[in-house]
Each structure stands twice: as structure tokens, then as C-alpha cells.
Amino acid sequence: MTAVTAEHTADTTHQAHFDAAVAADERIEPRDWMPDEYRSSLVRQMAQHAHSEIIGMQPEANWITRAPSLRRKAILMAKVQDEAGHGLYLYSAAETLGTSREELLDKLHSGRQKYSSIFNYPTLTWADVGAIGWLVDGAAITNQVPLCRCSYGPYARAMVRICKEESFHQRQGYELLLALSQGTPAQHDMAQDAVNRWWWPSLMMFGPPDEESAHSARSMAWKIKRHSNDELRQRFVDICVPQAEALGLTLPDPDLRWNEERGHHDFGAIDWDEFWQVLKGDGPCNEQRITQRRRAHEEGAWVREAAAAYAAKTASDKAERNEAQVEATA
Ligand code: BYC
């Protein structure tokens, strides 16, 4: 057998094992062979997800100093810290695919990798913190619970923990909006205004319509994604309608109504031109978000350097101790 044929046979066997594992709903682990496109598509999605978590800290952190009570401030600080933690789980999970965190951050900072469109909208009032918790975290959970069954083990396991924390985030947003909605008329109006502004961008979080989704078919065949963008968007709308009613708030869509035949709510047309424009970098806050991220990265250089120096020192101290021990026992 020539080297080329042997290589081809090995690849075919690996591919067959991979296909069988995916078909049997087994997890693919970092040590396993996987097709190059599977690996690169996972890096793409997981990096985008990790970037969203850390960029997502900005719009809410904007309100930490202005939270209306100590209780609200403590909750918001904990939530923003949770988002940083989610970013770290996801960068670590992406590293298991052979890519470094530095490389991923560099791609974010130079605009070669995306983050969620939703974080390019401003947080204008305190009620926006509630609307983000209820709608943005709510959409994130709807999208991410199925990712707990993703075929790639490290991503699926990271998602289990993230989803538990996102559920808490969603509830705190709902509770915040409820307090405002049942407060003074001005507070109620503030809550309604926030929901009016965040509703449509939240629906865009699920990605383009299925017929325009470049990656869905392949990601679903690989069991990275378990449902299409439109399926999850519909699920989210159906969940939100009764919750909005319980909140005493309306959703800003005159076409929103129950469709008995489909067993789902019909809803109005999404402004996809706006979505693509935000993705291209022309959203209300793209410039601000990426500038702030680059600045935070530069200002954090000393922390990374100190951590690396400490790790090197600990490793050399340990090596010295081991050497001394070997000499003493010799
Ligand atoms: N924003 O073929 P498609 C959170 C891109 S929540 C920006 O359908 P796919 C948080 C897409 O990447 C948010 N870009 O893609 C919550 C692709 O571009 P590339 C993070 C978007 O991957 C609260 C192109 O459009 N969640 O973390 O099959 C506080 C075509 O799309 C968006 C996740 O990332 C968008 N909305 O499906 C703090 C969940 N939608 O890559 C933080 C994991 C699409 O070819 N990700 N694009 O250049 C996913 O589930 C999937 O990647 C998506 C898109 C459903 C988002």
C-alpha cells in the first residue's frame, strides 16, 4: 500500500467512527479524530459565543454605579461577573480544539470574529437591565439549553453550568421589570419603553431566517445545533407572550397573535436589513463596544504578565524542590 492510500484508508476509518459516534448521540472529545470542518465550525461558534459573553458585560456594567439600591447593585455585579465566568469557560472549551485564547481575542479585536448583534444596542435606562435579563438572557437560554446536548463534549458540559446561571439571570430581569411595571406610572412607562426597544433585537439573536442560515444544515447534521434558528425563535416568542401578560407589559408587535392551526403565535416581520447592518459593524454601539474591549485588554496586560510570571516561578520552585528531594534520597 502506498503512503497516500494508507493515509486515505485511515481517514475513511476515522470518518466512519466519527459518523457512527454522532449518529449514536455519543460525545466527541478533544482526543478524538474529527473532520477539519467540524473543528473549525465549532471554533467559530464557540469563539463567537465566548466573545458575546465578555462584550455582553458592557451594556449592563454601565448601570452598576447607578443601580437604585444596594440589593440591586449586588445582584447586578454578581450577574456581570457571571458573564465574565461564562466567557472563561467557553474560551477554555475552545482551547481544547487546539486554538489559543490569545488568537481568539486577537480575532475579536481585529474584527475577524463576531459577537452577538444584541450587544450593539445601548442601555438607556435602568429598566434596560430588566429587559436584558428577561429577554436577552431568556433568548440565550432558549438557544443554549439544546446546546447542552451538543455533540462536542467540552462545549456541552460548559453549557450545562452556563444555563443554570442564565436561568437565575432571566428571573432577576423578570423580577426587576415586574417591580417597575407595578410601580409608579413613570416606572411602568420606563419598563414598557425598554421592552419596546429590546424585543426585536432579541428576536435577531437567533440568527438569520433558516433559508439564509449558512451553517445550520451542517451544524445540525453534526448535532452541534439541535434546532434551526427559526424553530428556536418561535419557541422564544411562545414563551414570552404569557410572561409579558403576567408582567402587565405589551410586546411591540401588532401582528402578534395565537394561531390555533399552527399551535404557535404568529409574529410580524423582522427587520433583517437592520440585523445585517449591525453585523457589518454599523449598529448603534459597535464602535464603542470594540474600543472599550480593546482598552480593557490593554489595561489588563499587567495582570496577564503577573500571572504568567507567577506560574513560571511556581513551576521552577517545584522543579527545584523535586531535584533536592531526588538528591536527598540518592
Ligand atoms: N449576532 O449560519 P448562521 C449571551 C452570524 S447571548 C451576530 O445561522 P450559526 C449573553 C453567524 O455567526 C449570545 N452574528 O450561523 C446573554 C454567521 O456568521 P459567520 C451568544 C450572528 O452559527 C446575556 C452568520 O451570521 N450566544 O451569550 O449556524 C448576557 C450566518 O448565521 C448572529 C451564542 O453565541 C447574531 N445574532 O447560528 C451576556 C450561542 N446570528 O460565523 C451574554 C451559540 C448569526 O459565518 N451560537 N450570526 O461569520 C449559536 O447558537 C449560533 O452560532 C447562532 C447562529 C444561532 C447564533
Side-chain angles (χ1 to χ4, degrees):
M1 209 188 296
T2 66
V4 174
T5 330
E7 204 175 294
H8 175 74
T9 312
D11 272 0
T12 316
T13 315
H14 284 319
Q15 180 75 49
H17 276 135
F18 172 85
D19 291 344
V22 171
D25 265 335
E26 284 167 16
R27 291 273 156 79
I28 307 298
E29 296 297 339
R31 63 177 175 272
D32 296 332
W33 183 93
M34 60 189 86
D36 289 345
E37 299 78 23
Y38 176 82
R39 186 185 298 275
S40 58
S41 200
L42 270 172
V43 170
R44 178 191 64 78
Q45 177 168 328
M46 290 163 69
Q48 177 177 318
H49 195 165
H51 300 331
S52 306
E53 299 284 356
I54 60 164
I55 296 266
M57 295 167 71
Q58 293 185 33
E60 291 186 280
N62 185 29
W63 280 92
I64 290 176
T65 54
R66 291 172 288 167
S69 70
L70 186 58
R71 174 176 171 265
R72 293 288 180 201
K73 189 179 179 117
I75 294 171
L76 185 56
M77 280 169 65
K79 179 185 191 292
V80 172
Q81 284 176 3
D82 282 354
E83 307 302 358
H86 297 173
L88 296 185
Y89 308 156
L90 289 164
Y91 285 121
S92 299
E95 281 179 316
T96 66
L97 290 160
T99 177
S100 74
R101 192 172 306 195
E102 288 70 30
E103 188 186 331
L104 298 180
L105 284 171
D106 185 50
K107 285 187 173 156
L108 168 66
H109 298 151
S110 57
R112 283 174 293 152
Q113 272 176 350
K114 297 185 171 72
Y115 59 88
S116 182
S117 51
I118 192 74
F119 300 117
N120 292 308
Y121 292 86
T123 37
L124 302 180
T125 70
W126 170 249
D128 287 29
V129 172
I132 290 182
W134 176 43
L135 295 173
V136 176
D137 287 274
I141 297 168
T142 310
N143 167 274
Q144 291 169 19
V145 165
L147 290 174
C148 298
R149 292 189 297 120
C150 163
S151 58
Y152 187 56
Y155 192 26
R157 288 190 287 275
M159 292 318 304
V160 172
R161 203 158 150 181
I162 291 177
C163 284
K164 284 188 184 153
E165 292 175 356
E166 297 288 25
S167 300
F168 160 75
H169 296 168
Q170 194 267 354
R171 292 301 289 260
Q172 70 80 35
Y174 184 89
E175 194 259 348
L176 195 167
L177 276 186
L178 188 64
L180 289 178
S181 178
Q182 295 178 346
T184 64
Q187 287 173 325
H188 179 91
D189 290 352
M190 192 198 280
Q192 184 61 59
D193 172 63
V195 169
N196 292 348
R197 284 181 288 105
W198 287 93
W199 174 248
W200 292 106
S202 298
L203 295 189
M204 295 174 192
M205 285 174 70
F206 296 91
D210 289 351
E211 62 276 14
E212 287 174 44
S213 167
H215 306 290
S216 276
R218 230 163 38 151
S219 286
M220 284 172 73
W222 280 325
K223 295 189 182 166
I224 295 174
K225 282 168 84 163
R226 296 282 180 159
H227 306 280
S228 77
N229 299 356
D230 287 333
E231 273 167 22
L232 292 174
R233 192 172 2 254
Q234 179 70 64
R235 188 177 290 181
F236 177 66
V237 171
D238 291 339
I239 291 170
C240 287
V241 171
Q243 291 183 352
E245 237 169 76
L247 281 169
L249 298 170
T250 55
L251 296 171
D253 179 358
D255 298 322
L256 189 63
R257 60 181 60 87
W258 178 250
N259 182 325
E260 191 65 45
E261 219 169 281
R262 291 200 311 121
H264 290 292
H265 292 88
D266 290 337
F267 54 96
I270 294 171
D271 185 348
W272 290 114
D273 289 343
E274 176 181 318
F275 171 77
W276 293 116
Q277 200 177 319
V278 172
L279 254 64
K280 267 198 316 209
D282 293 334
C285 299
N286 296 59
E287 188 65 41
Q288 182 185 332
R289 299 288 184 243
I290 208 69
T291 304
Q292 167 62 17
R293 173 89 272 289
R294 284 194 203 113
R295 190 186 314 133
H297 188 71
E298 280 159 25
E299 287 174 359
W302 71 272
V303 180
R304 291 189 297 280
E305 281 161 20
Y310 180 72
K313 183 175 181 314
T314 319
S316 85
D317 287 353
K318 199 174 161 198
E320 267 176 38
R321 272 200 309 275
N322 285 348
E323 227 169 86
Q325 224 168 6
V326 171
E327 273 172 27
T329 50

